[in-house]
Amino acid sequence: MTTQQEGPRAFDELMAIRGGERPAPGEVTTTGSDPLFVSPFRIGRTLADALAARAVAAADLWEMRTGRRQRIEVDVRAAAATALGGEDMTLVRDASGAYEPIPVSPDVEHMASLTQPWRTADDRWFVPHFNLPHLERRVLDVLGCEAAPESVEAAVRKWKADDLDEAIAAAGACGGTVRTAREWLDHPQGAYLAARPVVEITKIGDSDPEPLPAGDAPLAGVRVLDLTRILAGPTAALSMAEHGADVLMVTAPHLPQVEPFVRDTSHGKRSAYLDFTRPDEAARLRGLAAESDVFIEGYRPHRLEAHGFGPADLAALRPGMVHVSVNCFGSGGPFGDRAGWDQVAQAVTGVCDVQGAATGAGRPQLTPVFLCDFLTGFLGSYGAMLALARRAREGGTYHVGVSLCRSAMFLQQQGLTSGFENAPGKLEPAEFERYAVADDATAYGDLKSLGPVIRMSETPPRWSGTTPRLGSSRPEWLPR
C-alpha cells in the first residue's frame, strides 16, 4: 500500500497564476495515484496537475468562443507516462503487422551512459552533459578525456566541483554541480528562481484586443512558430497543436537533432527549413513571425537577440504576439546566461540528491524519466494560453518564461511519496491502449504512440495530420 506525505497541490498554485474564478466543483477531475516510477517524487500527480491546468486554460479560450465550459479529466498514471518520451510509449509496426517497442537510439544510450553524476576531487558530485556532438566535444575538451564512462569518471575525479562548474560554463558547454535542495535555495540562482512564479507572464508591449479566430477547437486559427529542439520546447508547441493550433516547426538542415525526440514531439505539427543566419531566410522567418500569434524558442539565452529575433524585436514586429522562452536556469540571476538540460536541472536543484538517497543508491541519481522537460513544456503552453486569453480581453504583447530548474523546484514543492520500490516503470498494455493513437506511413514507419492523455468533454485534444519529416512543409501559414 502506498502512503503519501501531502504537500501543496500544484494545481492550486497554477490556478493562482491564472487568476479569476476557479473552475466550478466537478469541472476538473484527477484520478489515479503515484507511483509509476521508482522515484520518491510525485511525478504523476505533478504532471497531471499541470495538464489539468493546461486544459483549464484551453477551456477558458473555448468559453470565449462559445460561452460554454466543459468537463476535464486527467489520470495520474497516464500523465506520468508522458514523461517517458518514446521509450515504451511509441511502438512501430513490424513486417508481421504487430506493434513492437522501438529500440533505444544509440545516440540517446551513449548520452545517458556519460551524463551521470560523477564524483569530484573534493568528494562532491558533478553531472556533465553530453547531448549533441558539438556540446559533447566542448565537455571532452574541458575534461581532456575520451567519450567513455570510465574515462569521464576518471577525468571528473581530478576536478573540484566548483572549478569544473565554472570551466564547463566558460567553454559554452553544459553541466552542473549536484546540490541539495537547501544548498540550491541558498545559492543566488536558486534564491532568484524561488522569488518568481513557476510560469512568468509579463506584458512587454501594448496592442489592441484580438478576438480568437473562428474555429472548432480552443486554439483553432492560432499560429504558433516553434523554434525549439529536444523535448521541453517541442512539448510546449505539441501541447498547443493538440488544442488545435497551426504549429510550424522551423529549424535548419545543419542543426543537430535527436531523431526519437523529433519523432515523438512532432505529432500534429508541420515542419519547414529556414536558416536565420542567412539574410534571405531570416527575412522569410520575419514574415512568418509578423503573421503569427505565438513564438516559442528554446535557444541559449540571448542567441536569438543577436539575429534580431529577441522578445523586443518581435514585439515591435508583431504587436500582440505571445513570446515563450524555454530555458534551463530562468530569466536572470548569475546563471541566467547558461544553457542546460533536464539532467543539469535535476543535479543543481536537489532532485538528484533526493532520488539517490531515497532509492538507497549511495550516490546522487537521476530520475528514470525526463520529468523537468515534460513538466516545463506543459507549463509553457499553459502560460501561452493564459497570455492569449489576456490578449483577447485587454490586448497587449506578452512574454512567457518557463525554465527546467524552476520546474524541478516546483516538483519538489509537491512533497514525496513512498512505496515506489517495485513501481512498474510503464503503463500496463490496457492502460496504454486507452490513449494510444495510430499514425501510419510516417517517415518513421507505422507508429502507435501514447496520445493526448487529457480528456475534455467538448474539445478533446487530438493530433491532426501525419507526424512530419523535418523540412517537409513550405515555410508558410495555413489559411484561416
Side-chain angles (χ1 to χ4, degrees):
M1 181 69 179
T2 297
T3 60
Q4 296 184 333
Q5 306 164 20
E6 281 300 326
R9 286 302 297 260
F11 185 76
D12 294 337
E13 186 170 337
L14 295 173
M15 287 300 98
I17 292 171
R18 168 180 172 262
E21 293 185 10
R22 285 179 60 92
E27 183 176 310
V28 180
T29 303
T30 304
T31 60
S33 63
D34 287 305
L36 185 64
F37 305 116
V38 178
S39 176
F41 294 106
R42 285 192 167 96
I43 295 172
R45 196 186 79 174
T46 307
L47 289 169
D49 279 359
L51 286 167
R54 190 190 99 187
V56 169
D60 291 343
L61 297 173
W62 183 244
E63 184 181 27
M64 286 183 170
R65 294 175 182 273
T66 66
R68 300 193 303 271
R69 299 295 296 176
Q70 51 185 309
R71 295 184 306 281
I72 295 162
E73 181 179 338
V74 184
D75 179 76
V76 167
R77 285 171 61 88
T82 63
L84 280 165
E87 191 175 323
D88 293 315
M89 291 298 101
T90 295
L91 310 178
V92 64
R93 184 150 45 193
D94 63 19
S96 72
Y99 285 99
E100 298 292 341
I102 300 174
V104 177
S105 158
D107 290 340
V108 173
E109 203 164 37
H110 170 75
M111 179 275 292
S113 72
L114 303 180
T115 304
Q116 294 291 334
W118 303 108
R119 192 185 292 273
T120 60
D122 50 351
D123 284 326
R124 298 173 71 190
W125 298 85
F126 189 86
V127 175
H129 204 286
F130 290 88
N131 207 9
L132 303 182
H134 68 294
L135 296 177
E136 175 180 294
R137 186 70 262 161
R138 293 176 191 175
V139 175
L140 294 175
D141 286 347
V142 171
L143 292 175
C145 70
E146 301 299 317
E150 61 276 9
S151 183
V152 172
E153 180 179 26
V156 172
R157 194 74 165 105
K158 298 175 183 177
W159 286 80
K160 290 184 177 180
D162 289 343
D163 292 342
L164 181 55
D165 194 76
E166 291 298 325
I168 289 286
C174 299
T177 300
V178 174
R179 293 179 172 86
T180 67
R182 182 70 263 165
E183 287 170 342
W184 177 244
L185 291 175
D186 288 340
H187 188 278
Q189 191 65 35
Y192 172 86
L193 289 174
R196 281 155 179 79
V198 68
V199 181
E200 294 189 74
I201 305 175
T202 307
K203 186 176 181 180
I204 60 173
D206 295 320
S207 69
D208 294 332
E210 293 187 40
L212 294 167
D216 59 358
L219 291 175
V222 172
R223 292 169 169 171
V224 178
L225 268 177
D226 175 13
L227 271 72
T228 66
R229 289 178 290 160
I230 308 181
L231 292 186
T235 296
L238 171 63
S239 299
M240 302 196 77
E242 290 179 354
H243 292 293
D246 177 16
V247 178
L248 182 62
M249 296 187 292
V250 175
T251 187
H254 69 276
L255 291 177
Q257 302 278 355
V258 180
E259 182 178 284
F261 296 162
V262 176
R263 179 195 67 217
D264 296 329
T265 59
S266 297
H267 308 292
K269 303 179 185 179
R270 296 179 299 119
S271 173
Y273 282 144
L274 287 174
D275 182 353
F276 58 70
T277 66
R278 297 171 58 93
D280 58 333
E281 297 187 31
R284 186 72 190 97
L285 182 59
R286 286 190 183 88
L288 290 170
E291 296 179 343
S292 70
D293 299 288
V294 179
F295 186 102
I296 305 177
E297 59 89 8
Y299 279 82
R300 184 182 291 269
H302 310 302
R303 173 89 166 97
L304 288 182
E305 280 95 328
H307 295 275
F309 292 98
D313 303 307
L314 294 170
L317 176 68
R318 199 307 194 193
M321 174 185 282
V322 174
H323 183 280
V324 182
S325 295
V326 182
N327 58 40
C328 183
F329 287 102
S331 57
F335 289 177
D337 289 337
R338 294 188 181 188
W341 304 83
D342 180 289
Q343 297 91 335
V344 176
Q346 290 194 39
V348 302
T349 61
V351 170
C352 276
D353 175 70
V354 173
Q355 176 75 22
T359 59
R363 57 183 290 163
Q365 189 179 63
L366 295 165
T367 66
V369 289
F370 301 114
L371 62 94
C372 300
D373 276 323
F374 288 96
L375 179 56
T376 302
F378 297 153
L379 294 174
S381 60
Y382 173 64
M385 286 190 279
L386 294 183
L388 286 171
R390 285 185 61 181
R391 186 185 76 170
R393 291 192 302 266
E394 62 194 64
T397 306
Y398 295 90
H399 180 258
V400 175
V402 289
S403 72
L404 302 176
C405 285
R406 187 64 183 84
S407 293
M409 297 164 70
F410 187 60
L411 172 79
Q412 293 179 84
Q413 291 164 10
Q414 311 313 312
L416 302 176
T417 186
S418 61
F420 54 81
E421 292 80 6
N422 297 312
K426 62 180 181 179
L427 298 177
E428 297 294 329
E431 294 176 299
F432 172 76
E433 289 295 334
R434 182 184 177 199
Y435 298 98
V437 174
D439 190 3
D440 293 340
T442 77
Y444 312 97
D446 295 344
L447 304 178
K448 182 185 281 188
S449 305
L450 182 72
V453 302
I454 294 170
R455 296 295 191 237
M456 299 178 70
S457 58
E458 293 200 18
T459 61
R462 64 184 186 89
W463 299 335
S464 61
T466 296
T467 302
R469 184 183 73 255
L470 283 177
S472 58
S473 295
R474 293 176 58 82
E476 59 189 24
W477 293 115
L478 298 176
R480 282 176 168 154

